[in-house]
Amino acid sequence: QVQLVESGGGLVQAGDSLILSCAVSGGTFSNYAVGWFRQAPGKEREFAARISRGGTSTYYTGSVKGRFTISRDNAKNAVYLQMSSLKPEDTAIYYCAADFALVLTPTPAYWGQGTQVTVSS
């Protein structure tokens, strides 16, 4: 029912900034908690950041905390991931995800198709 479409990925150099966007449709956006996961080549998918249904609470994995900022705009049915001070280790496919819940679970029910972020040194 709920559909998510990511955009904004690309090739950047270490130290650069990038903003990822996720458009959400098919449901009442304000009823869903959303977040971002990422998967590097040959690695398992890992959690990166999440934001609560009301947008009042955020949480980040240790490797991105202080460099990434997640936000949402309920009027635009969109979630964003602002990425700064990018490192080669941030290279991965980034996925937007959502749950019909107050906060995102470790295994979200809804996923986007992913967008590639490549950081060169």
Side-chain angles (χ1 to χ4, degrees), residues 27-56:
T28 302
F29 182 64
S30 61
N31 287 338
Y32 290 81
V34 294
W36 294 88
F37 287 72
R38 64 184 186 179
Q39 186 169 23
K43 304 289 186 178
E44 292 187 356
R45 184 173 55 202
E46 67 171 355
F47 163 80
R50 66 172 185 250
I51 188 167
S52 63
R53 186 174 66 185
T56 59

Side-chain angles (χ1 to χ4, degrees), residues 1-117:
Q1 186 74 283
V2 175
Q3 297 179 348
L4 303 91
V5 180
E6 303 95 333
S7 62
L11 174 63
V12 298
Q13 294 184 341
D16 284 353
S17 297
L18 199 63
I19 301 177
L20 305 183
S21 299
C22 176
V24 183
S25 62
T28 302
F29 182 64
S30 61
N31 287 338
Y32 290 81
V34 294
W36 294 88
F37 287 72
R38 64 184 186 179
Q39 186 169 23
K43 304 289 186 178
E44 292 187 356
R45 184 173 55 202
E46 67 171 355
F47 163 80
R50 66 172 185 250
I51 188 167
S52 63
R53 186 174 66 185
T56 59
S57 179
T58 60
Y59 189 81
Y60 304 88
T61 193
S63 60
V64 310
K65 190 174 184 179
R67 299 188 298 117
F68 291 9
T69 300
I70 187 171
S71 62
R72 67 187 295 163
D73 189 335
N74 287 356
K76 296 181 178 180
N77 289 3
V79 58
Y80 308 95
L81 186 66
Q82 302 177 46
M83 312 163 70
S84 63
S85 301
L86 284 164
K87 306 174 181 179
E89 66 187 47
D90 295 318
T91 295
I93 300 175
Y94 284 72
Y95 297 91
C96 183
D99 269 318
F100 186 71
L102 294 176
V103 297
L104 197 71
T105 69
T107 54
Y110 306 101
W111 296 85
Q113 82 289 349
T115 185
Q116 177 71 47
V117 173

